[in-house]
């Protein structure tokens, strides 16, 4: 496989050096693997910290900035960051108002963020944690006990980040993050397997004429493998799987997310089909976001995330944000 890298061993460090050069508004500590908004800590503001394995960009480092995360901790590719990174990030963004850890439900992330919370609290930082577990495809997977954390992570980080930016207290920011997660569901599909730099070849076998329904963001197996389907058929499968588990009473935010190698031409076409299905199912749509946001390196495919919103969470979604990966209103 051809990759635009030097050697697999330095791929994360090289990316962080490039990110630092491109985004001087961020303080990127390449050695300690921590990305912090340069104006942190902001007086009176709750700090938001998240992180996970690299390979899902722009999640999480690309969501650091005003209106979203205060800091992010990138691990090695598809590998959890370590507690030292998280403690360093919490200390860097804590203004005395507390810190919220946003944690995707993968076993390594959960264990390491739990340990980091204890260590940070020993150092006088008040920490709350919110677990993101929005994926409806499988109950347990290779990397989780319970549902996987996927596309809803973006909704949690954006809405909780906006509340923190307004100066809302830690208890309220945490409650909003939990509300967003509880009101969100996701479903993903892979058209090709993912290739990690260390392996240099696809991590699983997916024949050219088949797709995998219900995959995770590390290429974990899904519900089933089928012969290739049309965009409309995939949209029906994804939306119906979500609506089996979520009955929206309010309008929804829609994320049509690329897995890394799917061009926008295809994603916008897929979004048209998702909107058709939602209309046929009587689900009102408040906002739509289309693009590669929660990715899996070079995997071709897409995921759909729905989050039902009320007046406050929609207002916070619309609030200004300025990060490398998401920005509007500034």
């Amino acid at each position: 496989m051809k990759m635009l890298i030097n050697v697999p061993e330095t791929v994360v460090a090289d990316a962080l050096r490039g990110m630092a050069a491109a985004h001087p508004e961020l303080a990127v500590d390449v050695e300690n693997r921590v990305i912090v908004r340069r104006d942190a800590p902001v007086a009176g503001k709750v700090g938001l910290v998240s992180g996970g394995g690299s390979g899902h960009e722009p999640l999480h480092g690309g969501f650091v900035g005003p209106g979203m995360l205060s800091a992010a901790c990138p691990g090695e590719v598809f590998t959890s960051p370590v507690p030292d990174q998280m403690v360093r990030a919490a200390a860097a963004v804590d203004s005395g108002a507390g810190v919220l850890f946003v944690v995707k439900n993968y076993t390594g992330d959960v264990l390491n963020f739990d340990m980091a919370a204890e260590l940070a609290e020993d150092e006088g930082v008040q920490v709350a944690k919110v677990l993101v577990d929005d994926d409806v495809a499988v109950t347990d997977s290779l990397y989780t006990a319970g549902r996987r954390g996927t596309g809803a992570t973006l909704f949690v980080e954006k809405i909780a980040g906006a509340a923190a930016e307004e100066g809302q207290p830690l208890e309220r920011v945490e409650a909003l993050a939990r509300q967003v997660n509880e009101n969100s569901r996701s479903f993903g599909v892979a058209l090709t397997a993912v290739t990690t730099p260390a392996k240099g070849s696809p991590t699983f076998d997916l024949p050219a004429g088949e797709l995998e329904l219900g995959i995770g963001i590390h290429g974990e197996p899904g519900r089933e493998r089928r012969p290739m389907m049309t965009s409309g058929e995939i949209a029906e499968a994804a939306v119906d799987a979500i609506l089996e588990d979520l009955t929206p009473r309010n309008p929804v935010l829609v994320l049509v997310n690329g897995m890394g190698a799917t061009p926008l031409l295809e994603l916008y076409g897929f979004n048209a089909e998702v909107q058709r299905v939602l209309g046929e199912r009587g689900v009102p749509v408040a906002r739509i976001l289309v693009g590669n946001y929660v990715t899996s390196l070079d995997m071709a495919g897409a995921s759909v995330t729905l989050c039902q919103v009320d007046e406050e969470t929609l207002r916070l979604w619309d609030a200004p944000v300025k990060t490398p990966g998401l920005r509007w209103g500034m």
Side-chain angles (χ1 to χ4, degrees):
M1 300 294 291
K2 296 179 181 178
M3 293 185 176
L4 198 62
I5 65 172
N6 292 317
V7 293
E9 292 77 12
T10 66
V11 65
V12 175
D14 291 344
L16 290 175
R17 290 191 295 106
M19 187 176 197
H23 298 286
E25 72 276 14
L26 302 179
V28 181
D29 185 337
V30 177
E31 180 179 358
N32 293 299
R33 306 286 176 91
V34 177
I35 303 164
V36 182
R37 53 184 282 183
R38 195 169 288 280
D39 61 350
V42 178
K45 177 187 175 300
V46 169
L48 254 70
V49 175
S50 193
S54 296
H56 306 304
E57 290 76 16
L59 189 82
H60 294 273
F63 296 147
V64 175
M68 216 160 173
L69 292 177
S70 306
C73 308
E76 291 297 327
V77 172
F78 292 177
T79 303
S80 172
V82 298
D84 285 352
Q85 292 172 259
M86 302 159 187
V87 173
R88 189 180 296 271
V93 304
D94 180 39
S95 69
V99 173
L100 178 67
F101 284 169
V102 178
V103 187
K104 300 189 306 302
N105 189 30
Y106 290 94
T107 301
D109 290 0
V110 172
L111 292 175
N112 287 342
F113 270 104
D114 283 349
M115 184 179 298
E118 294 178 7
L119 294 171
E121 287 174 344
D122 287 344
E123 296 182 4
V125 179
Q126 182 184 5
V127 177
K129 303 186 301 291
V130 169
L131 189 69
V132 182
D133 57 353
D134 54 303
D135 177 41
V136 302
V138 294
T139 302
D140 297 299
S141 76
L142 296 176
Y143 298 90
T144 63
R147 291 178 167 176
R148 301 173 292 209
T150 58
T153 312
L154 183 151
F155 290 150
V156 171
E157 292 177 355
K158 171 63 182 76
I159 291 170
E165 202 71 39
E166 292 180 349
Q168 296 195 36
L170 179 60
E171 295 77 9
R172 182 58 184 156
V173 176
E174 177 188 3
L176 281 164
R178 292 188 187 281
Q179 176 186 336
V180 172
N181 177 64
E182 290 166 2
N183 287 330
S184 298
R185 300 291 189 276
S186 297
F187 190 89
V189 58
L191 308 183
T192 66
V194 59
T195 301
T196 62
K199 192 171 188 294
S201 61
T203 57
F204 61 94
D205 177 48
L206 185 57
E210 297 182 358
L211 54 75
E212 184 92 17
L213 288 174
I215 49 86
I217 57 175
H218 307 95
E220 308 97 305
R223 286 185 172 182
E224 61 180 309
R225 190 166 288 188
R226 291 188 188 177
M228 187 59 193
M229 301 158 64
T230 66
S231 176
E233 291 168 339
I234 295 170
E236 289 169 359
V239 171
D240 286 346
I242 291 171
L243 295 181
E244 286 174 7
D245 202 83
L246 177 73
T247 304
R249 299 177 301 278
N250 298 333
V252 297
L253 305 176
V254 181
L255 171 63
V256 172
N257 172 67
M259 301 308 294
T262 304
L264 278 171
L265 178 69
E266 295 178 33
L267 288 177
Y268 278 121
F270 182 55
N271 178 56
E273 296 299 330
V274 169
Q275 300 309 313
R276 172 186 63 80
V277 177
L278 289 172
E280 291 173 356
R281 306 299 188 265
V283 179
V285 173
R287 302 287 187 273
I288 304 167
L289 184 65
V290 180
N292 287 285
Y293 293 102
V294 183
T295 62
S296 184
L297 291 171
D298 64 342
M299 181 188 286
S303 63
V304 177
T305 304
L306 304 182
C307 174
Q308 67 168 340
V309 290
D310 55 22
E311 184 175 333
E312 181 180 18
T313 48
L314 182 58
R315 179 186 66 80
L316 291 168
W317 173 256
D318 287 339
V321 59
K322 186 177 182 182
T323 71
L326 200 69
R327 59 177 62 203
W328 57 68
M330 286 187 172

